Amino acid sequence: MFFGRDDKRDAQKRGSTVPLLPLRDIIVFPHMVVPLFVGREKSIAALKDAMAHKGPDDKAVILLAAQKKAKTNDPTPEDIFHFGTIGHVIQLLPLPDGTVKVLVEGVRRARVKKFMPNDAFFMVEVEEVEEQSEKSVELEALVRSVHSVFEAFVKLNKRIPPEMLMQVASIDDPARLADTIVAHLSLKLNDKQALLETESPAKRLEKLYELMQGEIEILQVEKKIRTRVKKQMEKTQKEYYLNEQMQAIQKELGERDEFKNEIQEIEEKLKNKRMSKEATLKVKKELKKLRMMSPMSAEATVVRNYIDWIISLPWYEETQDRLDVVEAERVLNEDHYGLKRPKERILEYLAVQQLVKKLKGPVLCFVGPPGVGKTSLARSIARATGRKFVRLSLGGVRDEAEIRGHRRTYIGAMPGKLIQSLKKAGSNNPVFLLDEIDKMSTDFRGDPSAALLEVLDPEQNHNFNDHYLDLDYDLSKVMFICTANTMHNIPGPLQDRMEVIRIAGYTEPEKLNIARRYLIPKEQEANGLADMKIDITSDALRTIIHRYTRESGVRSLEREIGGVYRKIARDILKNGKRDIVVDRKQAMRYLGTPRYRYGVAEREDQVGIVTGLAWTEMGGEILTTEATVMPGKGKLIITGKLGEVMQESAQAAMSYVRSRAERFGIDRKMFENYDIHVHLPEGAIPKDGPSAGVTMCTALVSALTRIPVRRDVAMTGEITLRGRVLPIGGLKEKTLAAHRAGIKTVLIPKANKKDLKDIPKKIRSQLRIVPVEFVDDVLREALLLEKPEEFGRKDQQKVPEATPSAAASAPA
């Protein structure tokens, strides 16, 4: 017996009975040192008893036997294997939580003969199993085979350190070799117990050899799988492989299938979402296809996106219109000064809708120069009506798909900007601003302006069809508002679908009011000066308007006022001054040298220099025309980067002057011996249009007769070869430009007399506006004549009423 071999007295005292420590999921073999965490009361009591009754070599002895089932918390003798390992307790350390950490070393095998009666812990009588000492050639060969197989096993299994191979290689004893190797194998508990109970070292090595071969085969298969998967990952997407693994793990763990869950969510949304019948059927059809697809396939992603787009659109969601006309008028007046006609049209729309209850959304188009408040007016309409506001900038759009979307067959296809904006708005009746509609262009990808024909037609847009959705969507409740600087860039059919409201430039009093009410408070707050007393005088504002801006709108004015406040902010931080008054001189000191000369009309009456009026995208401008006579051969020279229409106007004016040379007192020899040069300054700027005809004719007559032209007279109008003055466009803008330039008298075609009502009364009261029918009437008003009533009258013919050409009504 192991006990009492060297001390008979101790053997007689204890005999062959030792405490038993039941183990969960672990088997301790001889020569194996293992740390254990012991928490059960019986187990702790067994350890304490072992420590209290140490053997003759001062070592605590205990039997280490495994439980048949690890989950059994209070095992009985039947729940414990009756074959275990006698071990020494090397170290015992109580832990703060009441458990004990113990380090044990297996010594040799032992068999339980019987369990002794003891309630505190298991006390058993054991019989030691002597290791058989066998020596044969077959056993030697088996030892070598086991060494070889273990070496192969270590190379495949990366969890075993290479140092272990060196340690095992030095063991020649078959019994110890088997016990050392088995401790490093990931075997089932029953397999390990069977090895423990095998008393013959040779049989033990055979079983071990067989088990290691099986483990090696498994490891080799795992290695092949890893290699194959790695190659597959290199060929295909790594993400796909990880998702497949994740799904397999979720399936093993019994978690919810995310794909099925996603389909359930879509079905729930479909039940609660009110859509058109066509859209509902389409979603159900696509959902049926989605169920049959692989979740990770590209086609499934396309179908999911398509369903998401359809369900997320506001098919019937709409905001309640605020139809209080009085409140709407208050909001519009609060946000914008002036703009009488646009405000009237908006209030008319609200009044009619209040009476009719259902009205197709109008399509308004605000046309005017930059900075007059077209875009901000659209925002005010949304605020006044209580609708959502969305803005789509069409500047530079060349692709028809921007409006209608791409078909689903294209990679990365999406709906057009219209549908995207409606989704963003979350309602099907927003105020939809199509900004800069005149800046669209055309190329090989299609014409976006043609795609807008259906969108902006109230008779057609109730079933707008986007290429991506391929469903009819109702746009009839949307209030479309377009903005443009000019009309001539917008195709005729598109113009026909819109109600054009022209917004002309602001007058000086209007700019002063806008600066006082909106720009100054806005810039004062933006520059951190809201709580300080800063006064910009009206004289200073007029100086900024006259000398630092030249525009129809107020965008540059706002920028210059911001510049003044930035200078003030710097002065306040530097000098600590709090109350500031900005007068004319102070404003000029802040803003530097004036950029423009206010009132660019001529300072004195001169020969051959006439002030004309022109219309540009920026608003009205004055256009000086110069003519001079010099010795030559009767050539007409025209310069100033003029377009074809304007060059033809100059030739027509020259022909008219030559036909009436005698009545104007011009010697016909001058046309043979002299060259005439007509020039429009600012030669780098392209100019075109027919409305400079009267200006050129007046300049030619003045240059040939040497009669000066009045400096305070400006004119506009197209002429015919028979001297008739035809109507022009952009009269309001041209009149405002004349007023800004300090002109006193403006000559306009008689046919444009009807347009005078569009000019503000204050401007009309400060200008002398003279409607003229013939060029002779223009010359009598513009030239400094001694007897104006007799000039060119002698053979004046009354010509029949001429029909204005298409070009006549085009703005110059």
Side-chain angles (χ1 to χ4, degrees), residues 417-445:
K417 287 288 197 317
L418 276 167
I419 296 295
Q420 290 183 42
S421 300
L422 286 171
K423 178 188 173 184
K424 184 180 176 183
S427 75
N428 69 345
N429 66 335
V431 172
F432 202 124
L433 176 64
L434 298 170
D435 218 357
E436 311 290 355
I437 198 169
D438 58 328
K439 305 296 189 300
M440 288 187 295
S441 55
T442 305
D443 68 359
F444 65 92
R445 286 170 288 190

Side-chain angles (χ1 to χ4, degrees), residues 33 50 98 197 328 442 534 600 647 754 810:
V33 178
E197 293 179 4
T442 305
I534 298 167
V600 290
Q647 289 185 28
K754 65 183 186 307

Side-chain angles (χ1 to χ4, degrees), residues 21-23 26-27 64-68 79-81 83 189 193:
L21 179 66
L23 304 177
I26 188 171
I27 290 175
L64 304 166
Q67 293 181 191
K68 293 177 181 177
D79 296 325
I80 300 170
F81 287 112
F83 204 100
L189 186 73
Q193 183 66 28

Side-chain angles (χ1 to χ4, degrees), residues 19 107 127 173 176 192 200 210 293 304 369 612 615 634 705 732 739 742 754:
V107 179
E127 178 188 356
D173 181 26
R176 186 167 183 177
K192 284 190 175 182
S200 169
E210 185 183 333
M293 291 179 183
R304 274 200 296 263
W615 182 92
T705 59
K732 181 180 179 182
H739 179 261
K754 65 183 186 307

Side-chain angles (χ1 to χ4, degrees), residues 257-294:
D257 188 342
E258 289 297 323
F259 185 57
K260 288 181 180 177
N261 184 44
E262 189 176 358
I263 290 175
Q264 286 175 0
E265 284 181 10
I266 293 171
E267 287 173 341
E268 284 297 318
K269 286 180 182 177
L270 189 59
K271 285 179 186 176
N272 301 325
K273 179 74 175 181
R274 188 178 168 218
M275 300 189 294
S276 67
K277 187 177 180 182
E278 184 188 13
T280 305
L281 290 173
K282 190 78 170 177
V283 171
K284 287 180 178 177
K285 186 178 176 183
E286 294 294 322
L287 202 56
K288 189 177 179 182
K289 281 163 57 179
L290 187 62
R291 285 194 190 96
M292 294 184 285
M293 291 179 183
S294 168

Side-chain angles (χ1 to χ4, degrees), residues 44 49 125 130 154 182 258 286 294 312 314 361 375 534 567 597 631 639 723 739 783 799 802 812:
I44 294 171
D49 183 79
E125 184 180 337
E130 294 288 341
V154 170
V182 75
E258 289 297 323
E286 294 294 322
S294 168
S312 61
T375 304
I534 298 167
K567 298 287 192 304
R597 181 162 64 91
T639 57
H739 179 261
L783 299 179
V799 294

Side-chain angles (χ1 to χ4, degrees), residues 18 69 176 195 222-223 286 342 412 432 464 541 569 612 794:
V18 292
K69 291 182 180 178
R176 186 167 183 177
L195 281 170
E222 283 183 0
K223 187 178 180 182
E286 294 294 322
F432 202 124
F464 170 71
L541 284 174
K794 292 180 182 176

Side-chain angles (χ1 to χ4, degrees), residues 108-119:
R108 65 177 60 195
R109 286 170 170 75
R111 187 182 291 108
V112 176
K113 290 176 73 176
K114 65 175 179 179
F115 281 80
M116 307 298 290
N118 191 346
D119 294 333

